[in-house]
Amino acid sequence: MSLPALSVLLPVRDGETTLQAALDSTLASVGPGLELVCVDDGSTDGTSQILAETARRDPRVRVLRRPARGIAPALCDALSASRGRLVARMDADDEMHPERLAEQARLLDRRPDVELAGCGVESFREGGLREGFRLYTEWANGCATHDEIAREAFVDCPVPHPTWMLRRATLERVGGWRDLDWAEDLDLFYRLLAAGARVEKVPRVLHRWRDHDGRLSRRDPRYGREALARAKAHWLPRVRPISATVLVGSGRTARRYARLLAREGVPARALVAPADPAPARAWQGIPLVGPGELVRRAAEWRGSGSLLLGAAAVRGARERIRGILSGLRLVEGRDFLMLA
């Protein structure tokens, strides 16, 4: 039997309510010959029976069963067992368009410089989508090209993990998924960027991304705000070598990043508050300055090698900071980046 061109990796634990739709949509894909490698990560519901029955009907489905160890080890097991030249991700609670895999494979084959291919997503939720997830989806879909993705990379991962497709050689080069105290997808995404990988999306909505209260990102502290900030602070100076920063923002988010970046050897030269503070104000030895000082010293800070970082989590604040910095003729991606 010839080897499949594409391996789709699907880890699952207790996914009986959505798993069949995920399997069926994947197996309905057109394009390259595929295998669907499913890892049953210690399920206690009807997941095992659904996988066994689907594998009995379709020889493209391969099932690994093992005690619960988590998504990163499950993905590593699936990758080790897979055989395709291309590797794609799928989640047990999502659905994919029949042309998703073919379009992404075509992008990677046509563009040898691209190492990670994503696509647009349609988010859905029983009872209606919540506003926060709707806005997140719009933001992610607004990042389609490599430049847009790299520019927004430290806000969050602009390429939803279940939409990924890569060459096996790329995963082997950067080391695959790791089981750490922050999100495995963000960690791998930043390792790809640090290795110089180019990331692009197929400019079509080809994946249905389910939102629900049981999502791992809502239950596991490795996906919480503090853990994600640790990951961003760790990888920022490795993706974008810098000697110092100026945090545009003075609230909790800016102070969190000032603290975490200092641990990585990147000190903050100033925190820029939204209004002029009293003279001689500081936070943990970092000068607290106002917008007037930002206007006067932005060029000086950039000329001395400091990267300006817009740091705010309040909805709308990121856009205001971006407008201020752009108004100073600073170029996002070159002179400043946004954090969240």
Side-chain angles (χ1 to χ4, degrees), residues 59-218:
R60 295 176 296 171
V61 179
R62 302 171 60 206
V63 180
L64 310 178
R65 294 185 181 87
R66 47 146 226 209
R69 290 171 51 214
I71 186 171
L75 286 168
C76 290
D77 287 352
L79 180 62
S80 295
S82 67
R83 301 166 294 172
R85 176 181 63 88
L86 300 175
V87 177
R89 277 281 288 111
M90 181 59 176
D91 275 350
D93 48 7
D94 290 354
E95 300 168 16
M96 70 168 68
H97 189 284
E99 297 176 5
R100 178 198 142 185
L101 300 177
E103 290 276 2
Q104 290 179 301
R106 191 174 298 120
L107 171 60
L108 290 173
D109 287 342
R110 190 178 68 245
R111 295 278 306 275
D113 60 316
V114 174
E115 297 193 71
L116 169 60
C119 66
V121 296
E122 172 198 354
S123 294
F124 67 106
R125 180 188 176 98
E126 291 184 14
L129 203 60
R130 293 178 180 174
E131 181 72 359
F133 205 78
R134 182 186 67 79
L135 292 172
Y136 182 88
T137 303
E138 290 179 359
W139 168 79
N141 283 341
C143 304
T145 69
H146 177 77
D147 288 345
E148 292 165 342
I149 291 166
R151 184 191 69 205
E152 297 280 358
F154 288 92
V155 174
D156 208 321
C157 181
V159 190
H161 194 200
T163 71
W164 288 20
M165 182 184 288
L166 313 90
R167 298 178 188 87
R168 175 180 299 277
T170 298
L171 281 168
E172 291 173 349
R173 177 165 64 94
V174 300
W177 293 271
R178 303 192 299 180
D179 194 17
L180 303 171
D181 64 352
W182 56 57
E184 80 293 334
D185 56 341
L186 200 63
D187 179 71
L188 179 51
F189 177 65
Y190 289 147
R191 276 186 285 134
L192 288 163
L193 292 182
R198 187 171 186 86
V199 184
E200 299 280 356
K201 290 182 183 177
V202 175
R204 290 180 60 191
V205 173
L206 296 171
H207 190 90
R208 299 192 74 224
W209 196 21
R210 187 189 301 270
D211 182 34
H212 57 89
D213 291 339
R215 288 172 59 89
L216 193 62
S217 59
R218 290 207 170 96

Side-chain angles (χ1 to χ4, degrees), residues 248-251 255 271-279 281 288-294 296 324:
V248 183
S250 60
R255 295 180 185 199
L271 296 172
V272 181
D276 288 323
R281 287 285 303 277
L288 187 62
V289 303
E293 191 79 353
L294 173 63
R296 288 189 295 272
I324 292 169

